[in-house]
Amino acid sequence: MPENRSFSFRFGGRASAVVIAAGFDPAYLRNLVGTSASLVVSDPNTLAYARSIAAAVGAAEPFVLAGGEAAKGWQAAEAVIGAARGAGLSRDGWFIGVGGGVVTDLTAFAASVYMRGARLALYPTTLLAMADAAVGGKTGFDLFGLKNLVGTFRPADAVFMAGTALAGLPVCEWLSGFAEVVKTAVIGDGGLLGLIEAQAGTLAAGPANPECAALVPELVARCVAVKGRIVEADPEETGTERALLNLGHTYGHALEAVAGLGVVAHGAAVAWGMARACALGRGLGLTPADRADRIVRLLGRYGYAVGPVHPALSAAPADAAGRLLAAMQGDKKRQDGRLRFVVPTADGAELCRAEDDRILKTLVERRP
Ligand SMILES: NC(=O)c1ccc[n+]([C@@H]2O[C@H](COP(=O)([O-])OP(=O)(O)OC[C@H]3O[C@@H](n4cnc5c(N)ncnc54)[C@H](O)[C@@H]3O)[C@@H](O)[C@H]2O)c1
C-alpha cells in the first residue's frame, strides 16, 4: 500500500493535521479519540462508511442527516448538537463528520459552538470535500435562502482522507468537485495543471475507473497543499490571499441563482465562471491570451460549458447577461462602484475590479 501523506497546518492559533491515505485506517482514529466520547455524523449515502468509523472509536450508531444542500440548515445544526448532548459529549468529546461538504460544514459548525468549542475530526467522502471543504476551517449552514449565511471559523483538529471512500461517488459529483481541483491548479500549482491536462481522458472517467482512482491521492494532496498554504497566510479572510480561492465563484454563484438553485451543479457553475473570468482577465489585460486559451480548452475537455451564454440560459441570452450582472451586484459589495473578481494571471491569479460594461462583454456572444 502507498505511504500516507501528512500535512500539519497552523490556521491562526490552531493546529490542523491532514492525512491522505489509500484506504481507511481504524487505528489512526482510535489513537486520536482515545477514551473520549464521540459523535459520528453522516448522511444516508455515507452511513456504511460512518458505521465502520463509529465501530473503530466505540461510538454509538451514527447520527444521520437528511443529506444534500436542502438539509444544510439551522434545524440540522440543532439536531447535531442535540445528538451530541444525547451521546454525553463534554468539551473534550469528538464530533466526527463523515460525508461531503454539507456534512463536514454542519458537523464543524456544531463542534465549534458546542459548549463553546469541542473537538473535531472530518472524514470527507466527496472530491469537493477532500480538495476544498474539509480543509481550512470555514463552517456553516444556509439560512433565509442564503448559502452559508451563518458560520464560524473552526479548522478540524484532524482530517483523514481515504481514496477508497470515493469508490461509489457518482461521476456527476466527481466532476462537480473536479472544478475545484482545476481552480486550485490555476491559482497555485502549475504541476497539478499539467497533470490534469495530461490525464484528462483518465480523470474525466471518475473514481470507479481504477486508473483514475490511482491518481486521487496525488490530486487531493496537491489541492490540500495549496489550500493549506493560502489559509495559513490568511486564516479568516481578513487579507487578500484567501479570496483567491473564489476564482470562478462570482460568475458561478450568479449562474446558480439565475438558472434556479440546483439546475446547474455547483462545480459546473464554477467551471463556467472560470472561463468567464479568463475572458474578463483578457479584457482587462491581466490574463495572457495563451493562458486563458489553455484554461478554457482544459475545462472544455472535462465537458464543462465554457461559452459566454451558458446552455441553461440560452433561451433568452440577451436578458441573461443583465440578470447575471444583477445577481452579482446583489451577492457582492462594490468598491469604487466596481465589482471584485479573481482572474488568472500568467502563473497564478489576482484580485481585480471591473466596470459593469466590461463584465457584460464577457456574457454575450461576440459577433463575427
Ligand atoms: N467549508 C468550506 O470551505 C467549503 C468549501 C467548498 C464547499 N463547501 C460546501 O460544501 C457543500 C458541497 O459539498 P459536496 O459537493 O460534497 O456536497 P454534498 O455533501 O451534498 O455531497 C454530494 C452528494 O454526494 C453524496 N455522497 C457523499 N459522499 C459519497 C460517496 N462516497 N459515495 C456516494 N455518494 C456520496 C451525498 O450524499 C450527496 O448526495 C456546499 O454546501 C458548500 O457550501 C464548503
Short mmCIF file of all heavy atoms in Angstrom, two decimals, residues 217-248:
data_model
loop_
_atom_site.label_atom_id
_atom_site.label_comp_id
_atom_site.label_asym_id
_atom_site.label_seq_id
_atom_site.Cartn_x
_atom_site.Cartn_y
_atom_site.Cartn_z
N PRO A 217 -5.01 10.19 -4.62
CA PRO A 217 -4.17 10.72 -3.54
C PRO A 217 -3.27 11.88 -4.00
O PRO A 217 -3.11 12.86 -3.27
CB PRO A 217 -3.34 9.51 -3.10
CG PRO A 217 -4.17 8.33 -3.50
CD PRO A 217 -4.86 8.73 -4.77
N GLU A 218 -2.73 11.77 -5.21
CA GLU A 218 -1.86 12.84 -5.71
C GLU A 218 -2.66 14.14 -5.93
O GLU A 218 -2.24 15.22 -5.53
CB GLU A 218 -1.22 12.37 -7.02
CG GLU A 218 -0.34 13.38 -7.72
CD GLU A 218 0.98 13.65 -6.98
OE1 GLU A 218 1.32 12.88 -6.06
OE2 GLU A 218 1.64 14.65 -7.32
N LEU A 219 -3.82 14.00 -6.56
CA LEU A 219 -4.66 15.18 -6.82
C LEU A 219 -5.03 15.87 -5.51
O LEU A 219 -4.91 17.08 -5.36
CB LEU A 219 -6.01 14.77 -7.45
CG LEU A 219 -6.11 14.34 -8.88
CD1 LEU A 219 -7.58 14.18 -9.25
CD2 LEU A 219 -5.46 15.37 -9.79
N VAL A 220 -5.51 15.05 -4.57
CA VAL A 220 -6.01 15.60 -3.31
C VAL A 220 -4.86 16.22 -2.51
O VAL A 220 -4.99 17.32 -1.96
CB VAL A 220 -6.76 14.51 -2.51
CG1 VAL A 220 -7.06 14.97 -1.11
CG2 VAL A 220 -8.05 14.12 -3.23
N ALA A 221 -3.72 15.55 -2.48
CA ALA A 221 -2.58 16.07 -1.72
C ALA A 221 -2.15 17.43 -2.27
O ALA A 221 -1.83 18.36 -1.51
CB ALA A 221 -1.42 15.09 -1.76
N ARG A 222 -2.14 17.56 -3.58
CA ARG A 222 -1.73 18.85 -4.17
C ARG A 222 -2.74 19.94 -3.85
O ARG A 222 -2.37 21.09 -3.57
CB ARG A 222 -1.56 18.68 -5.69
CG ARG A 222 -0.25 17.99 -6.06
CD ARG A 222 -0.17 17.74 -7.55
NE ARG A 222 1.13 17.31 -7.96
CZ ARG A 222 2.14 18.13 -8.33
NH1 ARG A 222 1.98 19.42 -8.32
NH2 ARG A 222 3.30 17.64 -8.70
N CYS A 223 -4.04 19.60 -3.87
CA CYS A 223 -5.05 20.60 -3.53
C CYS A 223 -4.95 21.00 -2.06
O CYS A 223 -5.05 22.19 -1.71
CB CYS A 223 -6.46 20.06 -3.81
SG CYS A 223 -6.80 19.90 -5.56
N VAL A 224 -4.74 20.02 -1.19
CA VAL A 224 -4.62 20.31 0.24
C VAL A 224 -3.40 21.22 0.49
O VAL A 224 -3.46 22.17 1.28
CB VAL A 224 -4.51 19.00 1.04
CG1 VAL A 224 -4.06 19.25 2.48
CG2 VAL A 224 -5.85 18.25 1.02
N ALA A 225 -2.31 20.93 -0.21
CA ALA A 225 -1.09 21.74 -0.02
C ALA A 225 -1.35 23.20 -0.39
O ALA A 225 -0.97 24.12 0.34
CB ALA A 225 0.05 21.17 -0.86
N VAL A 226 -2.03 23.42 -1.53
CA VAL A 226 -2.29 24.80 -1.97
C VAL A 226 -3.26 25.48 -1.01
O VAL A 226 -3.03 26.60 -0.55
CB VAL A 226 -2.87 24.83 -3.41
CG1 VAL A 226 -3.32 26.23 -3.78
CG2 VAL A 226 -1.83 24.31 -4.40
N LYS A 227 -4.36 24.79 -0.68
CA LYS A 227 -5.35 25.44 0.19
C LYS A 227 -4.75 25.71 1.57
O LYS A 227 -4.95 26.79 2.14
CB LYS A 227 -6.63 24.60 0.31
CG LYS A 227 -7.67 25.35 1.14
CD LYS A 227 -9.09 25.00 0.87
CE LYS A 227 -10.00 25.93 1.68
NZ LYS A 227 -11.36 25.45 1.78
N GLY A 228 -4.01 24.75 2.08
CA GLY A 228 -3.39 24.93 3.40
C GLY A 228 -2.45 26.13 3.42
O GLY A 228 -2.45 26.93 4.36
N ARG A 229 -1.66 26.27 2.35
CA ARG A 229 -0.71 27.39 2.26
C ARG A 229 -1.47 28.73 2.26
O ARG A 229 -1.11 29.65 2.96
CB ARG A 229 0.07 27.23 0.95
CG ARG A 229 1.28 28.09 0.82
CD ARG A 229 2.06 27.71 -0.43
NE ARG A 229 1.41 28.07 -1.67
CZ ARG A 229 1.32 27.29 -2.74
NH1 ARG A 229 1.81 26.07 -2.72
NH2 ARG A 229 0.73 27.72 -3.84
N ILE A 230 -2.55 28.78 1.48
CA ILE A 230 -3.32 30.03 1.38
C ILE A 230 -3.99 30.35 2.70
O ILE A 230 -3.98 31.50 3.17
CB ILE A 230 -4.36 29.92 0.23
CG1 ILE A 230 -3.63 29.93 -1.12
CG2 ILE A 230 -5.40 31.02 0.31
CD1 ILE A 230 -4.52 29.69 -2.32
N VAL A 231 -4.58 29.34 3.34
CA VAL A 231 -5.32 29.60 4.58
C VAL A 231 -4.34 29.93 5.72
O VAL A 231 -4.65 30.77 6.58
CB VAL A 231 -6.25 28.41 4.94
CG1 VAL A 231 -6.95 28.65 6.26
CG2 VAL A 231 -7.28 28.21 3.83
N GLU A 232 -3.17 29.32 5.71
CA GLU A 232 -2.19 29.69 6.75
C GLU A 232 -1.84 31.18 6.64
O GLU A 232 -1.64 31.86 7.64
CB GLU A 232 -0.92 28.84 6.61
CG GLU A 232 -1.08 27.47 7.22
CD GLU A 232 0.22 26.69 7.34
OE1 GLU A 232 1.11 26.85 6.48
OE2 GLU A 232 0.34 25.89 8.29
N ALA A 233 -1.79 31.68 5.39
CA ALA A 233 -1.44 33.09 5.19
C ALA A 233 -2.59 34.03 5.54
O ALA A 233 -2.37 35.20 5.84
CB ALA A 233 -1.02 33.31 3.73
N ASP A 234 -3.81 33.52 5.52
CA ASP A 234 -4.99 34.40 5.67
C ASP A 234 -6.14 33.59 6.28
O ASP A 234 -7.17 33.37 5.65
CB ASP A 234 -5.38 34.93 4.27
CG ASP A 234 -6.51 35.94 4.31
OD1 ASP A 234 -6.84 36.45 5.40
OD2 ASP A 234 -7.08 36.21 3.23
N PRO A 235 -5.97 33.14 7.56
CA PRO A 235 -6.90 32.13 8.09
C PRO A 235 -8.36 32.57 8.13
O PRO A 235 -9.24 31.75 7.95
CB PRO A 235 -6.38 31.85 9.50
CG PRO A 235 -5.28 32.81 9.75
CD PRO A 235 -4.88 33.44 8.47
N GLU A 236 -8.62 33.84 8.37
CA GLU A 236 -10.02 34.27 8.49
C GLU A 236 -10.41 35.28 7.41
O GLU A 236 -11.29 36.11 7.61
CB GLU A 236 -10.30 34.78 9.91
CG GLU A 236 -10.08 33.67 10.93
CD GLU A 236 -10.67 33.94 12.29
OE1 GLU A 236 -11.18 35.06 12.51
OE2 GLU A 236 -10.60 33.04 13.14
N GLU A 237 -9.76 35.21 6.30
CA GLU A 237 -10.06 36.04 5.13
C GLU A 237 -10.10 37.53 5.46
O GLU A 237 -10.99 38.25 5.01
CB GLU A 237 -11.40 35.59 4.51
CG GLU A 237 -11.44 35.85 3.02
CD GLU A 237 -12.58 35.13 2.29
OE1 GLU A 237 -13.10 34.14 2.81
OE2 GLU A 237 -12.90 35.59 1.20
N THR A 238 -9.13 37.94 6.26
CA THR A 238 -9.03 39.38 6.55
C THR A 238 -8.06 40.03 5.55
O THR A 238 -8.09 41.24 5.38
CB THR A 238 -8.53 39.61 7.98
OG1 THR A 238 -7.40 38.76 8.18
CG2 THR A 238 -9.60 39.27 9.00
N GLY A 239 -7.23 39.23 4.92
CA GLY A 239 -6.32 39.76 3.90
C GLY A 239 -6.89 39.48 2.51
O GLY A 239 -8.11 39.37 2.34
N THR A 240 -6.01 39.34 1.53
CA THR A 240 -6.49 39.13 0.17
C THR A 240 -6.21 37.70 -0.34
O THR A 240 -6.79 37.28 -1.33
CB THR A 240 -5.82 40.13 -0.80
OG1 THR A 240 -4.41 40.04 -0.62
CG2 THR A 240 -6.29 41.54 -0.55
N GLU A 241 -5.32 36.95 0.36
CA GLU A 241 -4.91 35.64 -0.16
C GLU A 241 -6.10 34.69 -0.29
O GLU A 241 -6.29 34.04 -1.31
CB GLU A 241 -3.85 34.99 0.75
CG GLU A 241 -2.50 35.67 0.72
CD GLU A 241 -2.41 36.72 1.81
OE1 GLU A 241 -3.46 37.16 2.32
OE2 GLU A 241 -1.28 37.12 2.14
N ARG A 242 -6.89 34.59 0.80
CA ARG A 242 -7.95 33.58 0.80
C ARG A 242 -9.00 33.86 -0.28
O ARG A 242 -9.63 32.94 -0.79
CB ARG A 242 -8.60 33.52 2.20
CG ARG A 242 -9.38 32.27 2.37
CD ARG A 242 -9.70 31.91 3.80
NE ARG A 242 -10.50 30.69 3.74
CZ ARG A 242 -10.62 29.80 4.68
NH1 ARG A 242 -10.01 29.96 5.82
NH2 ARG A 242 -11.37 28.73 4.52
N ALA A 243 -9.16 35.13 -0.62
CA ALA A 243 -10.13 35.50 -1.66
C ALA A 243 -9.79 34.84 -3.00
O ALA A 243 -10.67 34.64 -3.84
CB ALA A 243 -10.19 37.01 -1.81
N LEU A 244 -8.51 34.49 -3.21
CA LEU A 244 -8.13 33.85 -4.49
C LEU A 244 -8.87 32.53 -4.70
O LEU A 244 -9.08 32.10 -5.83
CB LEU A 244 -6.61 33.61 -4.55
CG LEU A 244 -5.73 34.86 -4.52
CD1 LEU A 244 -4.27 34.46 -4.60
CD2 LEU A 244 -6.09 35.81 -5.67
N LEU A 245 -9.26 31.90 -3.58
CA LEU A 245 -9.99 30.63 -3.68
C LEU A 245 -11.36 30.82 -4.33
O LEU A 245 -12.05 29.85 -4.63
CB LEU A 245 -10.15 30.00 -2.28
CG LEU A 245 -8.84 29.56 -1.61
CD1 LEU A 245 -9.04 29.32 -0.12
CD2 LEU A 245 -8.31 28.29 -2.28
N ASN A 246 -11.77 32.08 -4.52
CA ASN A 246 -13.08 32.36 -5.13
C ASN A 246 -13.01 32.44 -6.65
O ASN A 246 -13.99 32.84 -7.28
CB ASN A 246 -13.65 33.68 -4.59
CG ASN A 246 -14.03 33.54 -3.13
OD1 ASN A 246 -14.37 32.44 -2.68
ND2 ASN A 246 -13.96 34.62 -2.39
N LEU A 247 -11.87 32.09 -7.25
CA LEU A 247 -11.80 32.12 -8.72
C LEU A 247 -13.00 31.34 -9.31
O LEU A 247 -13.25 30.20 -8.93
CB LEU A 247 -10.49 31.46 -9.20
CG LEU A 247 -10.36 31.29 -10.72
CD1 LEU A 247 -10.33 32.62 -11.44
CD2 LEU A 247 -9.11 30.49 -11.06
N GLY A 248 -13.72 31.98 -10.20
CA GLY A 248 -14.88 31.35 -10.86
C GLY A 248 -16.17 31.44 -10.07
O GLY A 248 -17.24 31.13 -10.60
#
